[in-house]
Amino acid sequence: KKTLKQQKQIIVEGNILIKEAVQNKFKLNKLIFSDVNKIKDITKVFGRSTSGIEFLKVPDPDLSYYSVLTTSPGCIGIFDKPQDIKKKYNALPINVIADNCREPNNLGAIIRICNALPISHLLLPKGCADPWETKCIRGSSGSIFHLPTKQLDWEKIHQMTPAEDVVLIADNDVRKYDKDRVFEYDEIPLEFIDNKNI
């Protein structure tokens, strides 16, 4: 893990997720597998170009040892970590800040929801789980490949948030706020958010 982080690489496990990463133009460096049949679908996505990809066939027990999952899916892809993912053309003018989300599976679920909307950016302050950690990628069901996600400190997040932006805080303990500033999510007045960055 430490070496991969230094080399700015990520691990993607499983046929479907590897295929999706390749289709989204992520650069695949190594494909580790235990059975050729496990990677047939993936190799169809490459077409004829497999230059620069190292294929490593290893015994099943070795693959299970390398896998972070309880049951190894039979193939592991090592990709370059993407520098920048472009936001979708129909993205809402919303940036979500996932403050202090430490559990990779929970962050994966947040990524999945943000991608489904879709939002403009997901911002992750220091202390959040790594969005490129294997469990997070699986928890996002591959949505991480489509969503602009930035790991930033609060200073940079503050710079990205102009004073005229509307800031909404999702909180299950509303006692600390003035009652006139608390809304149920489906009762936010339209004039409060219309034509504004959120």
Side-chain angles (χ1 to χ4, degrees):
K1 274 187 177 179
K2 194 177 177 184
T3 306
L4 285 174
K5 204 167 188 178
Q6 287 168 347
Q7 294 175 353
K8 296 188 176 167
Q9 294 186 330
I10 58 170
I11 294 172
V12 179
E13 289 197 54
N15 193 312
I16 294 167
L17 289 175
I18 293 171
K19 200 161 67 168
E20 191 165 349
V22 169
Q23 286 169 331
N24 281 283
K25 309 286 187 255
F26 281 49
K27 186 181 179 308
L28 178 62
N29 298 314
K30 287 185 176 75
L31 188 58
I32 307 164
F33 56 97
S34 58
D35 183 351
V36 175
N37 292 323
K38 301 262 185 193
I39 62 164
K40 275 187 179 171
D41 283 353
I42 301 167
T43 53
K44 285 177 189 169
V45 177
F46 297 139
R48 294 181 181 196
S49 174
T50 55
S51 62
I53 303 168
E54 191 177 342
F55 291 86
L56 299 168
K57 188 174 185 299
V58 298
D60 247 338
D62 288 8
L63 200 64
S64 296
Y65 176 77
Y66 296 129
S67 176
V68 297
L69 305 170
T70 311
T71 306
S72 170
C75 52
I76 297 172
I78 298 177
F79 291 83
D80 280 351
K81 191 178 193 178
Q83 296 304 307
D84 197 24
I85 296 172
K86 292 192 179 5
K87 71 176 180 179
K88 294 182 179 179
Y89 73 94
N90 61 340
L92 298 169
I94 296 173
N95 291 329
V96 170
I97 303 168
D99 183 25
N100 209 19
C101 185
R102 295 175 185 273
E103 174 55 46
N105 290 323
N106 291 348
L107 182 57
I110 290 169
I111 291 167
R112 210 167 54 234
I113 292 164
C114 290
N115 183 52
L117 280 170
I119 63 159
S120 296
H121 294 92
L122 176 63
L123 308 176
L124 304 172
K126 193 175 180 182
C128 275
D130 181 0
W132 297 107
E133 199 259 328
T134 309
K135 284 182 184 172
C136 191
I137 293 171
R138 287 191 75 76
S140 80
S141 299
S143 292
I144 187 69
F145 303 138
H146 307 277
L147 182 70
T149 306
K150 297 183 180 193
Q151 294 171 287
L152 303 167
D153 57 34
W154 279 107
E155 181 74 30
K156 288 196 175 125
I157 290 172
H158 182 66
Q159 289 168 6
M160 283 182 71
T161 314
E164 61 273 10
D165 281 9
V166 175
V167 177
L168 303 174
I169 299 171
D171 199 332
N172 59 2
D173 181 10
V174 297
R175 292 174 295 180
K176 54 191 167 200
Y177 305 104
D178 296 335
K179 284 188 178 174
D180 63 333
R181 295 179 64 81
V182 175
F183 305 101
E184 290 295 326
Y185 76 95
D186 56 348
E187 294 171 1
I188 297 170
L190 189 60
E191 65 272 11
F192 191 63
I193 57 171
D194 202 25
N195 294 319
K196 295 193 175 126
N197 287 322
I198 301 169

